């Protein structure tokens, strides 16, 4: 099942997405639906089907969840580790080490405060000259790390700040509008193979495509369950949190985001996440 959030009767509602139309679930945000499904021991899909209105409406998706927490993994695609090692003035193999060793890299990306949904502006830090999108498959996690569904994320990153010194990673990763999510959450009964997705990303400037990239999630070097298992070690992450699984598409400095650029990430099974970029002060 494809789920989303919409504004319906002036309120945020979870909704089922069918044939481009939205069937709102009255009185339930996505977090309400997750909490209730866990309390009642039924799947998100079954609960949504039971309570959604019968008729689909042509509404617009907003952010599919206001996540309690967002975490992200890094160097999970060879491309990301190799590019970062090549760019960095640090020890040789600093990023390759993390790609290779059993313990994955994971970092805190923020809360709903720094997240935006489809169509909303993603941030370019006022003190960054090289900010890039990082298109990623993301998982919505239930209690204990159960995978409730899959969505798309843009782990927008101020790469020049990370490159100056790896200890600046939190500043390159966490700031206003640093994370876009959406447009839908696809439940695992519908999206049965998260390692078989074709992802594309474009950057459009003044109507012209200035960057195009593509990756298959078959290139993800870790199992999602392994990423989740490490994340939950000694760390009780609340239900309704999101984990971004890392980028396999690398945007180089010549395509650094400029204000007004539009970044579009697409996976046919999940949809299209499109966001303009704007400077955040
Ligand atoms: O190691 C820095 C961050 C890596 C990252 O965000 C990614 O590979 O997606
Ligand atoms: Mg990333």
């Amino acid at each position: 099942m494809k789920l989303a959030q919409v504004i319906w009767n002036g309120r945020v509602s979870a909704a089922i997405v069918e044939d481009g139309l939205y069937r709102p679930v009255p009185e339930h945000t996505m977090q309400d639906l997750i909490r209730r499904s866990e309390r009642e021991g039924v799947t998100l899909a079954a609960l949504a089907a039971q309570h959604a209105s019968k008729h689909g409406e042509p509404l617009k998706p907003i952010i599919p969840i206001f996540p309690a927490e967002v975490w992200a993994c890094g160097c999970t695609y060879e491309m990301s580790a190799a590019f970062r090692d090549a760019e960095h003035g640090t020890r040789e193999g600093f990023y390759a080490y993390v790609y290779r060793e059993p313990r994955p890299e994971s970092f805190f990306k923020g809360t709903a405060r720094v997240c935006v949904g489809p169509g909303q502006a993603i941030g370019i830090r006022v003190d960054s000259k090289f900010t890039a999108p990082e298109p990623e498959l993301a998982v919505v996690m239930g209690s204990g790390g159960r995978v409730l569904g899959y969505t798309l994320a843009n782990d927008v990153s101020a790469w020049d700040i990370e490159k100056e010194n790896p200890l600046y990673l939190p500043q390159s990763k966490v700031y206003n509008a640093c994370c876009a999510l959406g447009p839908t959450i696809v439940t695992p009964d519908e999206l049965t193979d998260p390692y078989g997705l074709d992802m594309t990303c474009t950057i459009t400037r003044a109507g012209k495509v200035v960057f195009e990239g593509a990756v298959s999630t078959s290139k993800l070097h870790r199992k999602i369950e392994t990423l989740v298992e490490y994340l939950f070690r000694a760390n009780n992450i609340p239900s309704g949190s999101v984990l971004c699984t890392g980028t396999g598409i690398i945007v180089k400095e010549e395509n650094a985001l400029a204000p007004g650029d539009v970044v579009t990430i697409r996976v046919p099974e999940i949809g299209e996440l499109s966001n303009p970029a704007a400077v955040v002060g």
Side-chain angles (χ1 to χ4, degrees):
M1 178 181 280
K2 266 198 189 66
L3 295 165
Q5 284 196 136
V6 292
I7 302 292
W8 189 63
N9 288 343
R11 293 177 66 173
V12 173
S13 282
I16 297 176
V17 190
E18 276 170 1
D19 305 322
L21 298 176
Y22 296 80
R23 292 169 50 205
V25 184
E27 313 288 324
H28 289 77
T29 64
M30 193 65 70
Q31 285 287 11
D32 294 334
L33 214 53
I34 290 172
R35 266 194 295 273
R36 184 164 172 186
S37 79
E38 294 191 329
R39 207 172 48 236
E40 298 183 1
V42 288
T43 65
L44 212 48
L47 190 67
Q50 198 184 339
H51 294 281
S53 60
K54 296 290 164 262
H55 298 289
E57 299 180 39
L59 299 166
K60 259 175 52 184
I62 62 165
I63 190 167
I65 187 164
F66 297 109
E69 296 178 4
V70 181
W71 293 80
C73 290
C75 302
T76 51
Y77 289 80
E78 212 262 330
M79 185 84 165
S80 174
F83 182 69
R84 286 180 148 88
D85 269 329
E87 284 276 288
H88 250 280
T90 52
R91 279 192 290 134
E92 205 185 327
F94 184 89
Y95 291 88
Y97 178 93
V98 169
Y99 177 77
R100 187 182 63 233
E101 291 301 308
R103 184 186 288 276
E105 175 196 6
S106 57
F107 56 89
F108 188 60
K109 181 70 183 165
T111 62
R113 179 184 68 78
V114 297
C115 294
V116 300
Q120 292 182 299
I122 47 174
I124 302 170
R125 287 180 64 117
V126 69
D127 57 355
S128 167
K129 298 249 173 314
F130 174 22
T131 290
E134 291 193 2
E136 305 191 7
L137 177 67
V139 294
V140 178
M141 301 174 296
S143 66
R146 209 159 41 90
V147 174
L148 300 177
Y150 302 92
T151 190
L152 300 179
N154 190 342
D155 168 24
V156 189
S157 305
W159 278 37
D160 48 351
I161 294 177
E162 176 191 334
K163 196 169 126 182
E164 187 180 340
N165 189 300
L167 295 182
Y168 293 150
L169 186 78
Q171 294 175 64
S172 81
K173 291 291 190 180
V174 188
Y175 56 91
N176 295 335
C178 67
C179 181
L181 297 172
T184 63
I185 295 171
V186 187
T187 54
D189 57 302
E190 179 166 326
L191 203 166
T192 51
D193 180 13
Y195 309 104
L197 304 174
D198 292 321
M199 181 181 290
T200 57
C201 174
T202 57
I203 303 176
T204 307
R205 185 168 298 161
K208 228 179 94 196
V209 174
V210 294
F211 171 84
E212 272 179 304
V215 74
S216 161
T217 55
S218 63
K219 300 272 189 274
L220 178 60
H221 177 59
R222 316 246 182 195
K223 289 284 167 243
I224 289 169
E225 301 82 70
T226 310
L227 298 176
V228 172
E229 191 270 316
Y230 268 96
L231 188 66
F232 272 72
R233 287 190 189 182
N235 194 12
N236 300 332
I237 291 170
S239 177
S241 294
V242 166
L243 176 63
C244 308
T245 59
T247 190
I249 296 176
I250 297 300
V251 174
K252 298 201 175 135
E253 191 152 7
E254 63 258 31
N255 295 121
L257 286 179
D261 286 358
V262 176
V263 179
T264 303
I265 302 169
R266 189 162 191 277
V267 164
E269 290 84 345
I270 301 174
E272 202 169 272
L273 175 62
S274 204
N275 300 89
V279 173
V280 290

